[in-house]
Amino acid sequence: MASVREPGRGELGVRLLVGFDGSEGGRDALESARVLGSGADASVLVASVLFGGPLPIDLAGLDDDEAKQAEPLFEEARERLVGLELETRAYGGGSPAAILTGLAEEEEFDAIVVGSPHRGALGRVLVGSVARNLLNGSPCSVLVAPKGYAAESHDRLHTIAVGYDGTREARQALRKAEELARHSNATIKLLTVVKPPSAVPVMVPGAYTPEYPAMPDRVIREGLGSVDSGLATETARLDGDPALELIGACEEGVDLLVMGSRGYGPLARVLLGSVSQKVAHNAPCPVLAVRRP
């Protein structure tokens, strides 16, 4: 492993970990990190894996000549992340997901930022193997950029949407959205999807699952009331399939969607349920999956 720290704006604020391999998806990740860090005294660690593989290799065994092979990648990262404090590290083995997870377990980051593989629909988040592994066990939040994100111009976050159903995990996501909104002077948009009652299997005649969340208007009011009064906040009640409604609500005018992890599985890890997995695979904007509290 080889490491270089560039002069920047200070140690306070948001700290991001970006996996960059020179691909278009990697460039999307850099641009997403730049936007997320704008106005937040952000520092970014850009990590590149030169000789990846399925087996772990001694990450400290990279000599200077080998590390130089990553310099073109890091030069591009410097150009794309001008104004942010930047550190670069080149690794000589292991899978990218394992290296990023290991770094996040050893050091403190606000989020790991990755791009989508460049296949499928343009402008959609497409979860490849690295992001999939991180979204099922990262020790910190994970931000996934949609395909083609770096090809468009972005200045800062203007509207941050939050999938909100009143659960502890949703409240954690809302707190993270507040933190980002303070940095970027963004508007928070609470999206509460109401799943209507539905018939259960035929072996229980006349039985229905209840509406979720129960008392949704109360959930919306409580969520709105919990937000810092100094932040601009909107709410929207959506009715129908939760994943489809959240995806549709982010089609226009949303710069970031923040979601909480599901309420079971390992604590203090990102672990997505079926709805959030579907959203993460199809969202038209960057998606930030917040680790469990």
Side-chain angles (χ1 to χ4, degrees):
M1 182 272 289
S3 175
V4 178
R5 180 180 292 275
E6 305 290 336
R9 296 164 50 184
E11 296 295 333
L12 299 177
V14 175
R15 190 174 187 222
L16 304 174
L17 172 58
V18 183
F20 182 52
D21 58 1
S23 69
E24 293 302 316
R27 294 183 180 97
D28 295 335
L30 290 176
E31 174 65 4
S32 192
R34 187 194 64 77
V35 173
L36 191 69
S38 294
D41 271 341
S43 64
V44 182
L45 169 56
V46 175
S48 294
V49 182
L50 298 181
F51 315 114
L55 300 177
I57 302 173
D58 181 7
L59 301 183
L62 202 64
D63 62 36
D64 290 341
D65 287 338
E66 290 173 326
K68 287 179 181 178
Q69 297 182 44
E71 187 54 33
L73 298 177
F74 296 148
E75 184 59 34
E76 180 176 355
R78 294 182 192 105
E79 293 174 356
R80 292 179 177 271
L81 297 176
V82 171
L84 302 184
E85 180 178 311
L86 179 64
E87 181 182 358
T88 58
R89 296 185 195 173
Y91 290 90
S95 73
I99 288 172
L100 295 174
T101 299
L103 281 169
E105 288 174 340
E106 294 176 1
E107 305 177 34
E108 186 174 348
F109 294 95
D110 292 281
I112 300 174
V113 187
V114 293
S116 299
H118 269 238
R119 57 179 183 272
L122 180 65
R124 296 283 162 171
V125 169
L126 304 166
V127 177
S129 60
V130 174
R132 185 177 299 108
N133 290 336
L134 293 172
L135 288 169
N136 286 283
S138 169
C140 67
S141 302
V142 178
L143 176 65
V144 186
K147 175 184 174 184
Y149 191 72
E152 301 177 356
S153 176
H154 308 89
D155 53 359
R156 64 174 178 86
L157 299 175
H158 294 273
T159 301
I160 301 172
V162 184
Y164 188 78
D165 62 1
T167 61
R168 183 186 181 194
E169 290 73 29
R171 293 195 296 271
Q172 181 78 358
L174 182 55
R175 299 288 81 78
K176 175 58 69 174
E178 281 186 278
E179 176 186 326
L180 295 172
R182 291 189 190 99
H183 289 312
S184 60
N185 195 31
T187 295
I188 294 176
K189 189 171 186 177
L190 273 71
L191 301 176
T192 299
V193 183
V194 181
K195 188 176 181 180
S198 59
V200 299
V202 68
M203 65 279 298
V204 188
Y208 287 82
T209 61
E211 178 183 70
Y212 182 85
M215 298 184 288
D217 294 334
R218 177 179 175 180
V219 167
I220 294 170
R221 288 195 302 272
E222 290 177 347
L224 179 62
S226 73
V227 178
D228 183 342
S229 61
L231 296 174
T233 311
E234 303 173 359
T235 65
R237 170 175 169 161
L238 309 169
D239 293 87
D241 177 271
L244 294 179
E245 292 296 329
L246 286 173
I247 292 167
C250 294
E251 290 288 352
E252 293 185 11
V254 172
D255 302 301
L256 176 70
L257 173 62
V258 184
M259 301 188 304
S261 297
R262 65 188 181 189
Y264 50 92
L267 290 172
R269 295 272 170 169
V270 172
L271 196 63
L272 300 186
S274 58
V275 171
S276 49
Q277 286 278 8
K278 188 173 182 180
V279 173
H281 276 270
N282 296 279
C285 65
V287 175
L288 179 65
V290 179
R291 76 171 190 174
R292 290 189 63 200

